[in-house]
Amino acid sequence: MLQLSAVLAVLLIWAALAAAGLVSATALPGPTAVFGQFPQLFGDPVYWQAVGDTLDGAVTGFVAAAVIGVPLGLVTGTYAAAEQSSRLLVDVLRSFPVIALLPVFLLVLGSTPTMKTTVVLLACVFPVFLQAQYGARSVTPMIAETMDSYRVPRLLRFRKVILPSATPSVMTGLRLAATTSVLVAIGVEVLTTLPGIGHEVVQAQQGGAASRAYAYIITAGAIGYSINLLSTIAERRLLRWRPPAHTD
């Protein structure tokens, strides 16, 4: 109820600002005008095509980031030599803002779906990689010394100790990357001519249809919230073996 009350308060403030005329209708149309666009959009194939194009680039880039980031993170987190040798390279690569490199990707790959997927991949791979690395390194020294003392085989050590210890951090990285993938895909569409929600926002804004543009923006927010909710549910089910955290 508290969450719903906060949403209602934001809507009331939004409606009051629009009704008072403090902001032009072009910049901030009222919530009634914006939400009134959805019945028309739901029946428009262009709307669903835009949603599909955005999700296609986001999901493809996210899956590629997970396939690359999780194994590399677990390996570098397990072996100190691998982590130390890759630290400088990782620090340099993750310091570059991906959107700032967009002109380079446009020159190399062109304004293509492959370019959008590549940008999403680079934006998502480092959160996944670092969380997996952190999780693999979270094994307590006492457990590590015990495994060394009993000469536990590496494969058994990985399956029974390292992987269960790293799974919570890996799931956190995947959840963060999943939401980031949609935001980056839309950002690429805004800055290029690639089809998707971002492109439709620009088209609606340039055509003077501010209400339609805000409807697409709300759609993007709803997709991000849904992905985060589904990721949280999946994380809870996969980690139900873990005892719940208690706070005083």
Side-chain angles (χ1 to χ4, degrees), residues 53-167:
D53 290 333
T54 297
L55 289 178
D56 181 55
V59 171
T60 305
F62 167 74
V63 171
V67 171
I68 295 173
V70 172
L72 289 179
L74 292 176
V75 170
T76 56
T78 303
Y79 301 102
E83 189 274 332
Q84 293 173 2
S85 62
S86 62
R87 183 183 304 168
L88 177 61
L89 180 62
V90 170
D91 289 341
V92 171
L93 291 178
R94 72 190 183 98
S95 64
F96 288 103
V98 178
I99 295 299
L101 296 176
L102 189 58
V104 178
F105 291 115
L106 284 172
L107 288 174
V108 176
L109 300 175
S111 185
T112 61
T114 302
M115 187 274 294
K116 178 166 63 175
T117 300
T118 303
V119 175
V120 173
L121 163 64
L122 293 177
C124 295
V125 70
F126 288 107
V128 174
F129 170 83
L130 294 174
Q131 286 292 327
Q133 185 183 79
Y134 172 78
R137 294 168 56 187
S138 64
V139 178
T140 60
M142 183 178 65
I143 294 178
E145 292 174 1
T146 302
M147 291 189 296
D148 291 336
S149 300
Y150 285 94
R151 297 181 180 179
V152 178
R154 291 184 178 181
L155 183 58
L156 182 63
R157 179 184 306 195
F158 177 80
R159 288 193 302 109
K160 296 297 185 179
V161 178
I162 296 176
L163 190 58
S165 298
T167 300

Side-chain angles (χ1 to χ4, degrees), residues 8-78:
L8 181 60
V10 171
L11 291 175
L12 291 175
I13 295 173
W14 179 9
L17 290 174
L22 299 177
V23 184
S24 66
T26 303
L28 184 66
T32 303
V34 172
F35 286 101
Q37 293 287 326
F38 282 105
Q40 180 183 356
L41 289 175
F42 288 159
D44 189 354
V46 175
Y47 174 81
W48 297 110
Q49 183 64 43
V51 172
D53 290 333
T54 297
L55 289 178
D56 181 55
V59 171
T60 305
F62 167 74
V63 171
V67 171
I68 295 173
V70 172
L72 289 179
L74 292 176
V75 170
T76 56
T78 303

Side-chain angles (χ1 to χ4, degrees), residues 167-183:
T167 300
S169 294
V170 170
M171 292 301 300
T172 299
L174 292 176
R175 177 160 49 85
L176 295 174
T179 305
T180 301
S181 66
V182 176
L183 298 177

Side-chain angles (χ1 to χ4, degrees), residues 1-13:
M1 292 300 297
L2 290 174
Q3 295 177 6
L4 292 176
S5 299
V7 173
L8 181 60
V10 171
L11 291 175
L12 291 175
I13 295 173

